[in-house]
Amino acid sequence: MTHTAVTAPAPLTGLRVLDLATLFAGPLAATMLGDFGAEVIKVEHPRRPDPSRGHGPSKNGIGLWWKLLGRNKRTMTLDLSTKGGRTTLLRLAASTDVIIENFRPGTLEKWNLGWEELSAANPRLVLARVTGFGQFGPYAHRPGFGTLAEAMSGFAAITGEPDAPPTLPPFGLADSIAGLATAYAVMTALTARDHTGRGQVVDMAIIEPILTVLGPQPLWYDQLGHVQPRTGNRSQNNAPRNTYRTADGSWVAVSASAQSVAERVMRLVGRPDLTAEPWFTTGAERARHTDVLDEAVGSWIALHTRDEVIAEFEKAEAAVAPIQDVRDVMTDPQYAALDTVTTVDDPELGPLRMQNVLFRLTDTPGGIRWAGRPHGADTDTVLAELGLTEAEITTLRSEGAL
């Protein structure tokens, strides 16, 4: 489906955001805000652009990841460590609602651009500070990346097969979770501003949101001393729950979190007798008999093609999904119906297919106005809107501030 321009007013229209961040949590938060109408200005160093422009595959020398992460953002350059850069940022801050940054703690203060100076320029400003470990504590000044959060939080410890090494995700999981959490935090701070008239600082540590989504591990340990082990694709809380190979060499995932679904699965695979076992009545008890259940489900699935398995499970109202790679995602009829992967026209690369906005609103939907723009493409326009003359812009450029 080709993406069409949104005509209804987006809910965040009128909100101005400066994205000073790089790689990846902070910029993703700004993208989420821009998708729903915020005016986002991406501020990059004149000589060291956001590294996401060079991450992963490129086409015609243009980084494709940036096309996604930089969408709905105008781009300008500014060296904040220079006098001209500092002055210009303070002028921008005066008419801005949100600044998102991910410098190491103390960096903005070193440039005399800390909260004291920024809030003096604009008392209604919300400053979102996204770092690996937060603004204080023994690790605050360490370099922080999502990989470290995936390791520290307990995620890697529970991921992988029981007899295999801890497993890190092959994508920016902790960064992405932190980006979504930052967008939520910003909107919370803006709502508080509606009540108080003043902005505040958002302190987002990437190590924290991923710990939240891992569930009740700390509670289990606190109350029971329970440490969740690695269980591969199995679960300690319910069964059958695993991936199974089909007759045509494909893979499917089965989940039976609900008792009724577990019973329907066993009837489907020809083992209704197992539902009469005393241990079948709870997910935790079924999980203790996973070998028996996996053998029953896996042997049935192994006799059928992927399409047959999906059709029979759907007929039985049992939960199943194919293990899809990106090629399958791009042609999946449910994703197509939702327009989850939409097409955006780009002046540099032509039509681009990328993920659509994160959710649908019935009255004030978001939308993708443009994909990531070239480095510094809007510098002069943004500064002119700020009231700078051509001579002032030329002076800033000659001083290396732009």
Side-chain angles (χ1 to χ4, degrees):
M1 183 181 296
T2 300
H3 176 81
T4 55
V6 175
T7 55
L12 300 185
T13 297
L15 188 73
R16 186 179 231 203
V17 179
L18 294 185
D19 174 8
L20 311 184
T22 58
L23 290 182
F24 285 97
L28 179 60
T31 302
M32 298 296 104
L33 300 174
D35 283 352
F36 285 89
E39 177 200 355
V40 181
I41 300 172
K42 175 73 177 182
V43 180
E44 298 174 85
H45 192 280
R47 293 161 291 281
R48 296 189 298 276
D50 187 328
S52 66
R53 290 181 179 273
H55 261 56
S58 62
K59 181 179 179 181
N60 300 336
I62 299 168
L64 296 176
W65 200 333
W66 168 252
K67 287 296 179 183
L68 175 67
L69 193 62
R71 72 188 191 192
N72 292 335
K73 300 178 184 181
R74 294 198 288 169
T75 61
M76 67 172 294
T77 59
L78 202 59
D79 184 347
L80 304 181
S81 68
T82 64
K83 180 180 178 181
R86 175 185 183 276
T87 302
T88 303
L89 184 70
L90 289 174
R91 289 184 65 172
L92 284 166
S95 58
T96 289
D97 297 286
V98 180
I99 292 179
I100 302 175
E101 62 97 359
N102 72 333
F103 299 106
R104 284 200 216 177
T107 301
L108 283 183
E109 286 75 9
K110 179 179 66 177
W111 297 331
N112 294 316
L113 286 171
W115 175 240
E116 185 176 337
E117 291 83 4
L118 291 171
S119 61
N122 181 359
R124 292 176 55 82
L125 179 71
V126 170
L127 174 63
R129 315 195 77 167
V130 185
T131 58
F133 305 103
Q135 294 296 310
F136 56 90
Y139 303 163
H141 290 276
R142 291 182 182 179
F145 298 100
T147 297
L148 308 187
E150 290 145 10
M152 283 182 59
S153 63
F155 172 85
I158 65 170
T159 304
E161 294 297 328
D163 56 352
T167 302
L168 295 166
F171 66 101
L173 177 64
D175 272 312
S176 298
I177 296 170
L180 297 173
T182 300
Y184 164 59
V186 165
M187 296 310 299
T188 302
L190 289 170
T191 301
R193 187 182 72 175
D194 291 342
H195 301 307
T196 66
R198 293 191 62 83
Q200 59 185 301
V201 175
V202 171
D203 179 3
M204 178 61 66
I206 295 172
I207 61 172
E208 291 185 300
I210 188 172
L211 184 58
T212 296
V213 303
L214 283 173
Q217 286 192 46
L219 183 61
W220 287 341
Y221 180 74
D222 175 65
Q223 295 296 302
L224 302 172
H226 175 72
V227 178
Q228 184 175 341
R230 286 193 294 285
T231 55
N233 291 321
R234 293 179 170 184
S235 168
Q236 288 190 308
N237 303 312
N238 65 274
R241 193 267 196 182
N242 211 328
T243 59
Y244 306 92
R245 193 179 182 100
T246 63
D248 55 354
S250 297
W251 291 84
V252 296
V254 172
S255 177
S257 297
Q259 179 70 22
S260 59
V261 173
E263 293 172 1
R264 289 197 289 268
V265 170
M266 301 322 297
R267 287 196 293 269
L268 169 63
V269 302
R271 292 300 307 274
D273 57 296
L274 293 177
T275 66
E277 294 287 347
W279 48 261
F280 199 86
T281 56
T282 70
E285 283 297 317
R286 292 198 305 275
R288 294 188 180 95
H289 295 79
T290 297
D291 287 342
V292 174
L293 296 174
D294 270 353
E295 169 60 27
V297 175
S299 60
W300 183 89
I301 288 177
L303 298 176
H304 300 81
T305 66
R306 187 183 81 165
D307 289 347
E308 290 170 346
V309 171
I310 299 296
E312 290 301 315
F313 265 73
E314 186 170 347
K315 190 186 304 180
E317 297 184 4
V320 69
I323 303 294
Q324 299 192 147
D325 64 21
V326 67
R327 293 168 294 186
D328 303 308
V329 169
M330 299 295 264
T331 58
D332 183 280
Q334 182 61 33
Y335 281 135
L338 297 174
D339 196 26
T340 305
V341 179
T342 196
T343 301
V344 180
D345 287 324
D346 180 68
E348 291 185 290
L349 296 177
L352 303 174
R353 286 194 289 172
M354 65 173 66
Q355 298 95 318
N356 209 336
V357 299
L358 192 61
F359 50 87
R360 285 163 292 281
L361 296 178
T362 56
D363 294 339
T364 56
I368 304 171
R369 301 184 293 283
W370 60 81
R373 289 172 55 70
H375 180 232
D378 304 291
T379 301
D380 288 12
T381 302
V382 171
L383 295 180
E385 291 171 355
L386 195 60
L388 273 69
T389 65
E390 286 189 23
E392 289 174 313
I393 295 172
T394 299
T395 299
L396 285 171
R397 189 161 275 121
S398 67
E399 293 173 353
L402 303 180

